[in-house]
Amino acid sequence: MSVDTSAMGAPLYDPERDGTAYVPPLDAALRLARATLAEKASANIHDHDAMMRAAVSLEMRLRALVAALDKEAGR
């Protein structure tokens, strides 16, 4: 019997699947990144689910912030 292991070890972000179509304005991306940092700062480090939610939220905000910075710099 074989086991499908394709989902095991799948990356959090796949540029082909998750490409960013919308890039927020830099001020909005920065404001949202700061808000997410403040929101997730109190997450319980011993709560696996809270850490996963924080990691995903922060990763998404960081991607948006980098995209906004690249857009403003003309890259």
Side-chain angles (χ1 to χ4, degrees):
M1 176 153 83
S2 66
V3 176
D4 179 14
T5 59
S6 62
M8 298 171 118
L12 179 63
Y13 176 77
D14 179 357
E16 291 181 21
R17 182 191 69 214
D18 303 322
T20 304
Y22 170 72
V23 177
L26 181 55
D27 62 331
L30 186 56
R31 180 177 39 80
L32 291 169
R34 285 182 173 142
T36 303
L37 279 170
E39 176 187 333
K40 300 303 177 183
S42 62
N44 181 351
I45 197 165
H46 300 289
D47 181 342
H48 181 263
D49 291 335
M51 289 295 100
M52 290 299 293
R53 285 190 301 273
V56 171
S57 297
L58 292 167
E59 190 266 348
M60 291 170 59
R61 292 296 182 215
L62 180 58
R63 285 197 180 281
L65 183 56
V66 168
L69 285 166
D70 283 347
K71 182 178 178 182
E72 185 162 289
R75 292 180 249 170

